[in-house]
Amino acid sequence: TGFVEIDILDSAFEGCSNLVRIAPSSSSENGMIGNVGILGKGAFSGTGLTKFKGYLEYIAKYGFAGSRFQEILVYGNDSHPTIISERAFVGCSDLTSIEIPTVSNDIGEKAFDGCTNLTDVYLGAATIPANCFNGLTNLKKVILPKVVTIGLKAFAYTRNLKSLYLGPDLETRYDSGVTRGFGSFVFYDDSNDNNVRNYNKLHIYFAGGVPSGEPYDMFYNESSLFKFAKIHVTAANLEAFESGG
């Protein structure tokens, strides 16, 4: 059998809340098991599918919006990286883990808005745009092996984040233009001091080595985060991170 890839048209399964399986007969798993070229606008919106596993080249706006997906595992493909459009996963409140090893271009605006139970993220994206994970308070572990740029407030209010892996291409310097490196207020949080103190649990791993100086421009904000945050910064490759991160 050769590689088989299908396109799923706009709104193809929208609102099919009882749909739990799209898979070849050779698979016993529930969920969407297979390879998708184009996932159209709203194609899985409101479905009962809980797992995606396969190749996926293009996710249109609202592709997964409001669905019951809990786990999304996209296979890596450097020849056909995944395009994530704006609001691709908006309102996926059941989603807990997502892994997309190769991501093309920028991640669309508000792609993960409303993914309130998302805990584990692996994204092979060069750019993490402004507000990408803003407000996702249940985030625990994020791996960004190919990141070059992190935008304004990308991790704002992610106060329960425990481990963050940043790949070797990230320039560990503040850049007000955010052309490379990280912009201001990446970990912005203007909550009360008790919430801010939760950032004491955050451990950041730099694959490129611990930066010279302290990269606290990422953590400074208008409240007292800079005062209370005790960030642990370590140099580690991805293997070391995954074994102990």
Side-chain angles (χ1 to χ4, degrees):
T1 57
F3 180 89
V4 177
E5 183 178 87
I6 62 172
D7 291 339
I8 300 178
L9 302 179
D10 292 355
S11 305
F13 299 104
E14 185 174 4
C16 296
S17 58
N18 293 320
L19 178 65
V20 297
R21 175 178 161 83
I22 304 174
S25 59
S26 58
S27 172
S28 60
E29 292 185 85
N30 282 340
M32 171 63 214
I33 311 299
N35 303 316
V36 177
I38 297 173
L39 181 67
K41 182 178 179 181
F44 286 149
S45 181
T47 67
L49 296 163
T50 59
K51 178 189 291 185
F52 179 95
K53 186 161 68 173
Y55 291 98
L56 178 55
E57 291 188 33
Y58 179 81
I59 308 169
K61 185 177 181 180
Y62 300 116
F64 287 90
S67 61
R68 297 178 190 167
F69 280 91
Q70 299 171 14
E71 177 186 356
I72 294 174
L73 172 59
V74 176
Y75 300 149
N77 188 336
D78 290 334
S79 299
H80 300 282
T82 303
I83 296 173
I84 303 174
S85 301
E86 61 179 298
R87 301 179 188 270
F89 302 96
V90 68
C92 289
S93 58
D94 291 336
L95 185 63
T96 59
S97 66
I98 184 167
E99 180 174 341
I100 307 179
T102 52
V103 178
S104 177
N105 301 322
D106 293 346
I107 297 171
E109 182 180 358
K110 298 184 178 180
F112 301 103
D113 263 22
C115 296
T116 52
N117 286 303
L118 188 60
T119 61
D120 292 86
V121 172
Y122 185 118
L123 287 178
T127 299
I128 302 301
N131 297 298
C132 187
F133 303 112
N134 191 330
L136 303 187
T137 56
N138 284 309
L139 268 186
K140 298 291 192 302
K141 182 177 182 178
V142 177
I143 299 176
L144 304 173
K146 300 178 181 178
V147 67
V148 174
T149 302
I150 302 176
L152 174 74
K153 297 184 180 180
F155 288 92
Y157 303 102
T158 58
R159 59 182 68 103
N160 291 304
L161 185 63
K162 290 181 171 59
S163 53
L164 172 63
Y165 173 88
L166 302 172
D169 294 328
L170 177 71
E171 290 192 5
T172 51
R173 63 182 177 84
Y174 172 74
D175 183 345
S176 59
V178 203
T179 54
R180 290 182 69 87
F182 42 81
S184 56
F185 306 141
V186 169
F187 288 90
Y188 181 88
D189 195 322
D190 61 357
S191 305
N192 63 59
D193 292 344
N194 287 331
N195 283 332
V196 169
R197 283 191 178 93
N198 283 348
Y199 285 96
N200 289 349
K201 302 173 184 177
L202 176 58
H203 199 150
I204 299 179
Y205 297 77
F206 288 93
V210 177
S212 58
E214 297 177 337
Y216 284 132
D217 287 305
M218 287 201 289
F219 310 105
Y220 174 81
N221 66 21
E222 295 163 359
S223 65
S224 52
L225 177 57
F226 180 80
K227 178 180 178 182
F228 288 112
K230 296 178 181 177
I231 311 302
H232 307 280
V233 180
T234 303
N237 59 28
L238 185 55
E239 182 179 353
F241 173 83
E242 291 182 323
S243 65

